[in-house]
Each structure stands twice: as structure tokens, then as C-alpha cells.
Amino acid sequence: MRKISIFLAVLFIMSLLYADPPGPYAWMKIPSHTSWAGCSLQQINIVVADSHDAIDLNSIQLQVKTITYNWPDPHLSWTDDSILTFTPSVAYTNSETVDVILHQANDAESWPLQGAPVSWEFYVDLDIPYFLPATRYPPPGTTICADVGSIAVSVIDPTSGIPYDGLCMCFNTSASGFFCPPSRSSGMCWQPSIDTNIAYRDDIFFVRWDPIAFWFANEDSIEVCLRKAVDRVGEGASDPYDVCGPHWFDTLDAQQCWTFLKDCVGPRVYLIYPNNGDTTACDSIVVGFEDISGIDTMLSLIHISEPTRPLYISYAVFC
């Protein structure tokens, strides 16, 4: 009998050691602790639950910023038997840090909130990323071949910043068959662990030229498009829309795309009339030139052996 009593006592002590501690526990679900939110009237959802008993709503005391709200304040609501929601009536300001403190939430047996007061914080970003058209490189309308360095543009988000995979650019070309994909989250995207030739540093988003130069034809018209630029709002959230994120740059800005030429070969010349080896009684000799950058006629030289009369040279462009 004594052995049974000792055994039961041990079981009781073990049950106390491994049982859930009494009283409710709480964690901030939306926004998550130390994350960025992008809604000017961002709701706050806090999970308040107890392993054994219901929550005594009349005991709830929540502080947001410097104001304390006691149940049943109209800013507070309760759903799904465990979600305390705070809905602000005054908009947050950009770059603001919002402190949230749950001072009290007892269960039906009057056990207090574990670890009370429990505190969290989140940050507010109401800006959108933007790019600087004057920094587009190579500049629109220019002609390049080698020694370009990078294809680049300055992209800025002054508040939360830009996360990995938050930037993409793509190319449309006239000769090499490249086209921007339908998805704005595809193309040449900033993913440092995957491709170090695509980088974002000191607010400059760039793709190194040398590793991709061979993609393009020796003569090519290259249109570059900034396809994606988003901020950190909603980063890591199960549903970024709960915090109005992420913020996109202005995708309707016509300057997000620009065109430059790659020209790494000189002009080609071909005889139009007469054909090589022909005998003709006509006075005209027609020679064609071809080059994506155009022809400098002042530097063009044609040599005709043993002319019997003065030569008159004219130049016209045919498309």
C-alpha cells in the first residue's frame, strides 16, 4: 500500500511539472512583432488563449502607443474565441513605431495573463519605392559595345527598404529574341544567393554587363524595363495583404523602360547596281550600306578605277 501511495505521489508531481502553466498566453499575430505594416489604419490582431478556460473579456486591458483601452471599448473586438482585435480611429504616420502592450487578460478562473505585461512593436511604412530616370544606364538612345560595366538604375525606398527578390528587370531585343515575361516577378531578379551578377548596392540596382553581353547580337536594339520594385511591408507574413503590403513602385511610369543600342561591328557594304561582273551602258553605280547606328557619309570613301568622266555622289536612306 505504501508503494502505491509513493507511486501516485510521483505521478502527481510529474503531472504538475509537465502540465500547462495556469493562465492565458498571448502573441501578436498581425502585424508580427518587429515587422513593417503599410496600412494607415492598421488593425492589430492578438491571439489570447487559455489551455483550459475561456477568457474573461472584462479583464482585458490593452495599451496602443500611449493610450490604454479597457473592454468593452469600441476600439476592441473579439472573434473566434481567441482573437483580440484593435481598430484605430486615428491614422498612423509614416516611419512611426507603434508600441503594443497587453497589460491584463485573465481567464474565467481569474488566472492572470502569463508574463504580463506582454509587449510588442511594429513599424509603419506608407511610402512606395521609386526610381530615378536620370540614373538609367546606359542612358536612353546611346550606343555601346564593351566597357559598359553594368545595366543599372537607382531605386529607392526611404522607409522600410527593399528586400531580397524585391527587384527585377528584363530585356526586349530586336535581334536576339529576348522578351520580358508576363509576370513582373520574373526576369533578372535580385537574389544574391542565386546570382551575384545581379546586385543592389547603395540604392543602385544593376546587372553586370560582361556575363550577359554575349546574349545580345553584335547589332541589337535593347529595351531595358524595371519590372519590379517593392518594399519590406508584409515580408514574412502569411498574407501580406493583411498589412497592405508590399508597396509597388509606379508600374504605369513610362520611363520604367528605356532603349539603347549595342553596336560591335562596322558598316557592311554591298553592290546594288550593276551586278558584279556586269557590262552596262548606264551611268549610275548604286552601293548599299548597312549599320544599326547609321552611316557617317562624310567619312565614306568610294574608289572607282579609271573614271572617264567626273563623278557625282549622292546618298539616301532607305527603310
Side-chain angles (χ1 to χ4, degrees):
M1 189 69 180
R2 188 165 181 270
K3 291 182 178 180
I4 295 175
S5 298
I6 294 173
F7 177 72
L8 292 175
V10 171
L11 286 179
F12 176 72
I13 293 172
M14 291 182 66
S15 68
L16 292 177
L17 290 175
Y18 291 98
D20 292 330
Y25 58 88
W27 56 279
M28 188 167 68
K29 181 179 181 181
I30 300 173
S32 58
H33 179 47
T34 68
S35 69
W36 288 93
C39 306
S40 60
L41 293 171
Q42 177 66 56
Q43 283 191 327
I44 301 171
N45 285 356
I46 300 173
V47 175
V48 186
D50 188 276
S51 302
H52 307 288
D53 298 304
I55 302 301
D56 177 9
L57 298 183
N58 290 315
S59 69
I60 290 176
Q61 188 178 85
L62 178 70
Q63 178 181 331
V64 179
K65 298 169 63 174
T66 59
I67 301 176
T68 300
Y69 303 87
N70 297 301
W71 187 272
D73 189 283
H75 292 85
L76 304 178
S77 59
W78 183 258
T79 55
D80 299 331
D81 294 327
S82 62
I83 304 296
L84 174 64
T85 299
F86 170 80
T87 303
S89 55
V90 178
Y92 302 114
T93 59
N94 190 55
S95 300
E96 182 176 9
T97 297
V98 180
D99 295 308
V100 181
I101 304 174
L102 185 59
H103 288 283
Q104 183 173 294
N106 300 338
D107 65 16
E109 298 296 324
S110 296
W111 286 103
L113 176 69
Q114 297 179 34
V118 184
S119 60
W120 309 274
E121 66 181 26
F122 66 92
Y123 319 114
V124 180
D125 180 358
L126 305 179
D127 285 329
I128 66 171
Y130 62 92
F131 69 97
L132 301 177
T135 65
R136 295 173 297 175
Y137 187 83
T142 57
T143 300
I144 58 92
C145 177
D147 300 324
V148 175
S150 300
I151 299 174
V153 62
S154 178
V155 185
I156 299 169
D157 185 88
T159 308
S160 62
I162 295 175
Y164 291 160
D165 203 29
L167 294 166
C168 296
M169 71 168 65
C170 63
F171 308 118
N172 293 309
T173 61
S174 62
S176 48
F178 282 93
F179 300 96
C180 285
S183 171
R184 282 190 169 270
S185 294
S186 301
M188 307 290 289
C189 299
W190 178 39
Q191 298 173 317
S193 62
I194 297 175
D195 192 343
T196 58
N197 291 311
I198 305 170
Y200 181 60
R201 190 177 304 144
D202 298 328
D203 293 333
I204 304 296
F205 176 39
F206 60 93
V207 177
R208 302 183 199 281
W209 174 254
D210 287 345
I212 66 171
F214 71 95
W215 292 0
F216 308 114
N218 282 329
E219 284 190 332
D220 218 343
S221 176
I222 303 169
E223 181 186 50
V224 184
C225 291
L226 177 64
R227 293 286 284 171
K228 179 182 182 182
V230 300
D231 61 17
R232 293 183 180 275
V233 173
E235 185 180 24
S238 57
D239 188 350
Y241 290 104
D242 288 337
V243 290
C244 302
H247 295 139
W248 282 71
F249 81 113
D250 182 4
T251 58
L252 299 179
D253 190 331
Q255 297 185 95
Q256 67 186 283
C257 295
W258 74 98
T259 301
F260 63 92
L261 301 179
K262 177 188 176 184
D263 188 359
C264 294
V265 293
R268 277 79 64 209
V269 62
Y270 53 95
L271 185 63
I272 298 176
Y273 183 83
N275 290 327
N276 187 31
D278 282 357
T279 299
T280 177
C282 297
D283 296 330
S284 297
I285 299 174
V286 182
V287 176
F289 295 88
E290 180 180 355
D291 191 272
I292 194 172
S293 303
I295 303 297
D296 185 348
T297 58
M298 299 303 294
L299 296 178
S300 299
L301 177 66
I302 185 168
H303 175 75
I304 299 176
S305 61
E306 300 180 3
T308 58
R309 56 191 303 174
L311 299 177
Y312 300 94
I313 298 176
S314 62
Y315 179 78
V317 177
F318 298 95
C319 298

